[in-house]
Amino acid sequence: MVRVLRDWWAEAALLTGFVVLTAALVWWAPLLAVDRAVRDWCDAHRPPWLHPVLVGFDLLGQRALVLPLVLVVAGVLAVRRRTVGPLALAVVAAAVNSVLVEVLKRWTSRGAPHHGSIEMFSGDPAVEYPSGHVSNGLVYYAVLAVLLSGVLPPLARQLLRWAPGVLVFVGTTGLAWHWLTDSVGGYLLGLLQVLLLRRLGKFSSRGP
């Protein structure tokens, strides 16, 4: 048991963090006050010039835009290398992320900052927790970084792997399209998936 905890501490910490955050949103009212305060601050400190910048950040996590890119890159590599490995990695990562986020969103049924209820399990049709855009910004770009491991230098791969998730977090929260805790939940969930994929040996230094 000690060895398991030592080897899996990062994944366990992320999963625990997500569970604790979700529970706190249900039973700890001050956290909802933080969400409201962050939304109001962003609304009051978002100059017109910043709006399109934040929209651009948010679009980095738009599945309809980034997933086709991932699949095209994976498909080209699969043909060139004559192996289904790259395509399998892209498809599995996309499927797991999409299903996991969608199930959690519908289960928690939380509204958006400017329409719907801030309460969890409200039955609101606007399902916002956790942020799928933020999770996408971690999972899809981590896959891209691996697929392009033979093309990009190490620093570029690290930027591709980690920068989009942070930018999407800033964009969607700054626009008040998601509550702050939606974005935190999406980041925890996305990072957990990246670590689990790496654990399965998919993210080796040589790529798929």
Side-chain angles (χ1 to χ4, degrees):
M1 179 62 69
V2 173
R3 182 175 180 180
V4 169
L5 291 176
R6 184 183 63 219
D7 292 344
W8 290 77
W9 71 267
E11 291 87 346
L14 289 169
L15 179 59
T16 300
F18 183 81
V19 172
V20 169
L21 175 64
T22 305
L25 286 168
V26 176
W27 289 301
W28 196 49
L31 192 55
L32 302 183
V34 172
D35 270 335
R36 292 191 182 96
V38 171
R39 176 201 60 187
D40 295 343
W41 188 93
C42 290
D43 286 344
H45 297 83
R46 188 171 55 244
W49 65 265
L50 184 58
H51 186 273
V53 175
L54 296 176
V55 171
F57 289 171
D58 181 76
L59 286 175
L60 291 172
Q62 180 64 47
R63 182 175 55 189
L65 296 179
V66 69
L67 180 55
L69 173 62
V70 173
L71 293 176
V72 167
V73 172
V76 170
L77 289 175
V79 171
R80 287 184 176 180
R81 298 176 183 176
R82 298 182 180 180
T83 174
V84 298
L87 199 55
L89 170 61
V91 171
V92 169
V96 170
N97 183 59
S98 298
V99 171
L100 185 59
V101 169
E102 189 66 22
V103 168
L104 287 170
K105 279 177 172 288
R106 294 188 179 279
W107 178 57
T108 55
S109 60
R110 188 190 197 193
H114 290 296
H115 54 86
S117 173
I118 192 174
E119 303 286 343
M120 299 281 279
F121 306 107
S122 64
D124 198 299
V127 284
E128 303 298 329
Y129 178 87
S131 169
H133 276 62
V134 175
S135 182
N136 294 344
L138 282 160
V139 174
Y140 291 129
Y141 291 96
V143 172
L144 268 179
V146 173
L147 294 175
L148 298 174
S149 59
V151 178
L152 298 177
L155 178 58
R157 290 202 307 271
Q158 291 304 313
L159 287 174
L160 180 61
R161 179 172 294 180
W162 301 115
V166 175
L167 293 177
V168 175
F169 188 112
V170 172
T172 196
T173 306
L175 290 164
W177 289 355
H178 271 290
W179 300 105
L180 172 63
T181 50
D182 294 342
S183 298
V184 173
Y187 200 94
L188 292 172
L189 192 65
L191 185 54
L192 174 61
Q193 292 177 78
V194 171
L195 294 186
L196 289 174
L197 285 170
R198 178 184 293 173
R199 178 73 65 177
L200 292 173
K202 297 299 186 180
F203 283 8
S204 66
S205 60
R206 293 175 299 175

